[in-house]
Structures are given as C-alpha cells and as structure tokens.
Amino acid sequence: MKNASKYLLWVLLLLGTTRVAAQEPASDAATKEAHYNALKGQCEALESRLDSLQEATSEVRIRFREEPEARELHTATILKLEEQMLQVGNEHRQLARELALLEQERMLQELNKEPQPEPAPQPEVERPNYEEAPRHRYLIRNACFRGELPAEEYQLLCDVQEQEREAARMIELFAENYARLVEMQQPYLLTTKQHEADSLYEAMCALIEENNSLNDSLLGLWEPIFDHKSYAYAYLLDRFDCEELLEGQIERLSEARREADATKGEYASDALSRYFIEKRALTSCELELAAAFHLQQARDSLQQEADYLLTVDYRLPRLSPERRYLLDYASVEFPGKVSYTTYKVPACEIPEQGTIYRIRLLSSRYRQQADIFRGVEPLYLLQEGGRYLYFTGGFASLAEARLACELLREKGFRLPVVVRWTDGRMEEVSEQESESLLRIEISGSEQLPEGVRALIREALPGHEISRVGSSFRIGGLTDPAAAEELARRIRLEEGSLEVSIVHEN
C-alpha cells in the first residue's frame, strides 16, 4: 500500500485535477420531460434534413462529373446546398448540446435514485462486499466506484463521462468536414474557370477554419476528461492495494501521452490523434478494471468500444489547398470572320497573381468599331484613365508574345505593343528588355510539401509560389546557377517531384 500511495501521488502531480461547478437544481420534472422530448424531436428533424441535403449534394456531384458543360450551374448548386448544410448543422449542434446537458442531468438523477447497496454483515472486512452489488454495463455506475471514490470525485467522474458525448460529436463533425474537403479537391484542381476555383477555395477555407476551431475545442474538452479518469482509476486501484495493476496503468497512460505529444503537427488534427491514442490506452485500463472487479457486463461493453477504436484511422493527412490563379492563355488567331460587335467586346481580365503577356492593339479616347481589328481572336477591352485599350492574346512568355507581334504586323497592325501584367500591375515591355528571366516549375503532387516550401523560402525570400494548373511556379529568377542549385535541392528533398527550369521571356 505504501508503494501504491507513491504511485498515486505521482499521478496527481503528473495529471492534476480540475473541479467542475455543481449543476443547478432541476426544475419541475414534467416541464423538463416535455422540453427534453421537444428537443429530441427537433434534433431528429434536423438530422433528417441533413441527410436529405447530403443526398441532394451527392446527386449534384454525380451530375457535376457527368455533365462538364453544366459544371458552372452544378457548382453554384453545390455551394448553395453546402451553405444550407452548414446552417442546419449549426442549429443541430446547438440543440444537441442542450439535449446532452439534459441527458446528463437525467443520468445523474437516475444515479442518485439508485439504492446504495448494503454491505454484508462481515465485521472483519474493511469495506462493503461489492461482489453482491447489482452490476451495470457502464463501468463507473458500478458500486465499487460509487462506494470508494469521494462523493466530489465520483460526481466529477460522472460529469466527464457525459462530456465524452460532446467530444464524440466534435469528432463526427470534424470527419464530415474533412470528407467534404476531400470531395472538393478534385473539382477544385480540375476547374478551368476562375470564379469556380475562387468559390471552391473559399468554401474549403471555411471548412478548414471550422475544423481548426473544432480541433481547439476538442483539445480543451478532452484533456481534463483524460486527467480526471486517470486520477479516479488510480485512486480506486490504490484503495484496493492493486499495486502491480496500478503501476502498469500509470506507465501505459504516460506512454500514450508521450506518443500523442510526438504526433503534434503531423496529421490533420492534433486533437483527433491525441484523443484516439489516449482513448485507446484509457479503454485498455478500463477493461483491466472491469476484469479485476469481475464486472462482466461492463467488460463486454468496453470490449466493443475498444474494438471500434482500433478500426479508426486518425492519421489523416493535412489539407492546405493552394489558391489557384487561372491565367487566360490564348494564341492569336484569324478565323476569317468577325466574332465581336462594337459594344460586346469582352472585358480584359486582370489576374491578381502570376504573370501574363498580352498585346495591345490600340489605345483610343473613343470606343472603336470591332471590325477594324480584322477579325482577330481573342479581343479584349479595358477602360482605363479615360481611354479604351484593346488587347489580344495571352502568353506565358515574352518570346511567345513577340512572335505573335510579328504575325500581327504581317496582318496589317502597325503598332502592336507587348504588355505584361504581374500580380495585377500592368507595364509595357520595351524592345530592349532582356529575355534572361527564368522560373522553376514543380509538378507531381497536389500539395507542395512543407520541406520544399522551407527550401524555397530560405533560398528566395520574398518570392511568391504560384499555382498554374497542376504545377507550382517560382518566377522572376535571374541567376541560372542559383536556379539550378535550388532545383537540385528540391529534387533531393522530395524525389517524387518533377522539377524543371524554363525561360519566362
């Protein structure tokens, strides 16, 4: 018993305890019962609504894949349905929290109503004979817990047991959000329309933000649950002089905490990995307690939970979508007909990120007749500074733009001018500008590994990493040797990536 006391003291110092405020007295039983039933009905209705929205979303996603020509319409429908799901989900979680509190109070009232088992008349025994007490499938509802733990500690144990329901709801919501993120990835990477990419990116960021909030909430909820349960079980083993079992459980729970600490930052959710690592260890300890006190019903129930926990893979990869900027690349063509009218020339889109070259055909104080542009395609109009600017083409390099200028001069355009947009800023390109700018292109992965990002930040501080299609780009490089060295280091860091150096101009 002396050694066990030392272990118990060690547990107290390691884990600590937290006190939970006592619950307020219950109101009229009939009123609370009616309120409980109403809440339960509302929750079931919202769950049914969520199922319907999920089914409708799945159907639209199928049509999104099968009907490429209507993807814009389907995307808008999906986003609208997801917004409704988010709203209904929030309502459901609010009601579920209130329902959980009522269920907790009902359970505690039921516990308080249960008659305390009378110990057998055995004067030589220090504590009641719990072998003859009624058995329960819920471990902590058995008499050895209620009879041996101090009243305050037993109440606290009941409280944290109920709080596990809220933890399970958080995990379920996190998993649902994560599944939606995975579903959005492919449409996001495949879309060729900027507004679709922007909508999907914003929706994904909203889900990531919600999951980050859930992660923080789950961490704050689970840690005291783990601490209080660990303390209560150690206290009980110490009371019954189970020194060997106590020592083994202390080591197992400490190892689980060390393992959880070691996974920090490795997976999509630190809270999720901590919960399942420590929950598995805690359930293993509970199985030993149930066996030690011959609580077969509780042991069977705990074994089912332990089997389930082993099936859950909490090692979800981190999802951090890169913002896509879809540059409108287009060659200069003359199809032989005029495709535009004077007042229906498309507006020239200015990309917020990345570099694109266009050719300015004309700058005028007045709007021009579309047919003076000889049927060139594409044709764009930009109104700036009180002038009408007409452009054609869209090129990734200066060399391509200059070749298009030669074609335009052959077709009778007298003063085609190459214009470059870089991160939304426009500038004319002089004839004397050097063509020595380089860029590194990286492909072969949907996400750029963090190690590669760190290399780029170290070698090129201040340079932006942009995404075009399925590749990542770092542009504006002037030193070929430095570019080659960075490309070599990236290949060494992540051998599965394809890394190439190309001339931007």
Side-chain angles (χ1 to χ4, degrees), residues 328-380:
D328 187 18
Y329 295 129
S331 59
V332 173
E333 298 177 351
F334 291 88
K337 61 179 181 178
V338 178
S339 301
Y340 307 103
T341 62
T342 300
Y343 290 94
K344 290 189 178 180
V345 178
C348 182
E349 294 186 2
I350 302 175
E352 295 180 7
Q353 295 286 335
T355 299
I356 189 171
Y357 296 85
R358 298 194 196 276
I359 300 172
R360 190 180 68 212
L361 302 175
L362 182 65
S363 174
S364 172
R365 293 177 59 189
Y366 306 101
R367 189 186 296 271
Q368 299 296 309
Q369 297 291 325
D371 55 11
I372 74 168
F373 296 102
R374 299 175 174 82
V376 67
E377 290 189 3
L379 184 63
Y380 307 111

Side-chain angles (χ1 to χ4, degrees), residues 460-473:
L460 302 170
H463 275 65
E464 293 288 337
I465 302 173
S466 60
R467 181 163 190 162
V468 179
S470 60
S471 67
F472 299 89
R473 295 183 177 182

Side-chain angles (χ1 to χ4, degrees), residues 194-211:
Q194 186 66 57
H195 72 278
E196 287 184 0
D198 289 342
S199 296
L200 287 167
Y201 178 78
E202 290 170 4
M204 293 171 78
C205 286
L207 288 172
I208 290 173
E209 184 178 354
E210 183 176 354
N211 269 4

Side-chain angles (χ1 to χ4, degrees), residues 250-494:
I250 288 174
E251 179 56 34
R252 187 179 311 154
L253 296 177
S254 299
E255 176 59 31
R257 173 155 286 182
R258 289 192 292 269
E259 181 183 351
D261 290 339
T263 64
K264 189 173 182 180
E266 188 173 352
Y267 305 119
S269 169
D270 292 338
L272 212 64
S273 57
R274 178 172 294 277
Y275 173 86
F276 281 102
I277 291 171
E278 294 181 347
K279 176 67 173 173
R280 289 173 181 176
L282 202 57
T283 303
S284 175
C285 293
E286 290 170 338
L287 276 167
E288 289 182 346
L289 278 168
F293 295 110
H294 309 292
L295 305 173
Q296 189 59 44
Q297 294 181 23
R299 190 177 182 184
D300 292 342
S301 177
L302 287 166
Q303 188 61 58
Q304 292 179 3
E305 184 173 15
D307 293 342
Y308 160 73
L309 290 170
L310 290 175
T311 67
V312 179
D313 188 359
Y314 58 85
R315 299 166 298 180
L316 303 175
R318 301 176 72 89
L319 296 180
S320 181
E322 301 284 343
R323 181 142 205 169
R324 296 184 64 199
Y325 296 96
L326 306 178
L327 303 182
D328 187 18
Y329 295 129
S331 59
V332 173
E333 298 177 351
F334 291 88
K337 61 179 181 178
V338 178
S339 301
Y340 307 103
T341 62
T342 300
Y343 290 94
K344 290 189 178 180
V345 178
C348 182
E349 294 186 2
I350 302 175
E352 295 180 7
Q353 295 286 335
T355 299
I356 189 171
Y357 296 85
R358 298 194 196 276
I359 300 172
R360 190 180 68 212
L361 302 175
L362 182 65
S363 174
S364 172
R365 293 177 59 189
Y366 306 101
R367 189 186 296 271
Q368 299 296 309
Q369 297 291 325
D371 55 11
I372 74 168
F373 296 102
R374 299 175 174 82
V376 67
E377 290 189 3
L379 184 63
Y380 307 111
L381 172 61
L382 176 64
Q383 297 183 50
E384 184 176 85
R387 301 188 69 84
Y388 293 86
L389 308 179
Y390 291 86
F391 299 90
T392 188
F395 307 96
S397 69
L398 178 55
E400 294 174 287
R402 283 178 171 163
L403 286 174
C405 276
E406 294 178 12
L407 173 62
L408 289 165
R409 290 189 186 99
E410 293 174 3
K411 293 292 185 178
F413 290 87
R414 293 185 300 167
L415 296 173
V417 177
V418 178
V419 174
R420 175 173 53 225
W421 272 278
T422 303
D423 298 339
R425 299 185 303 274
M426 181 179 69
E427 60 179 342
E428 290 186 14
V429 180
S430 68
E431 292 294 331
Q432 292 75 34
E433 182 170 318
S434 169
E435 297 191 11
S436 62
L437 290 179
L438 305 170
R439 72 168 176 267
I440 297 176
E441 294 191 357
I442 307 170
S443 58
S445 175
E446 293 184 357
Q447 303 289 334
L448 200 58
E450 184 57 36
V452 174
R453 289 183 175 280
L455 281 178
I456 296 170
R457 287 195 296 267
E458 177 186 351
L460 302 170
H463 275 65
E464 293 288 337
I465 302 173
S466 60
R467 181 163 190 162
V468 179
S470 60
S471 67
F472 299 89
R473 295 183 177 182
I474 309 102
L477 309 182
T478 57
D479 186 344
E484 287 288 354
E485 174 61 17
L486 178 57
R488 183 188 69 81
R489 292 178 65 191
I490 292 173
R491 294 188 191 101
L492 288 175
E493 176 70 23
E494 187 58 58

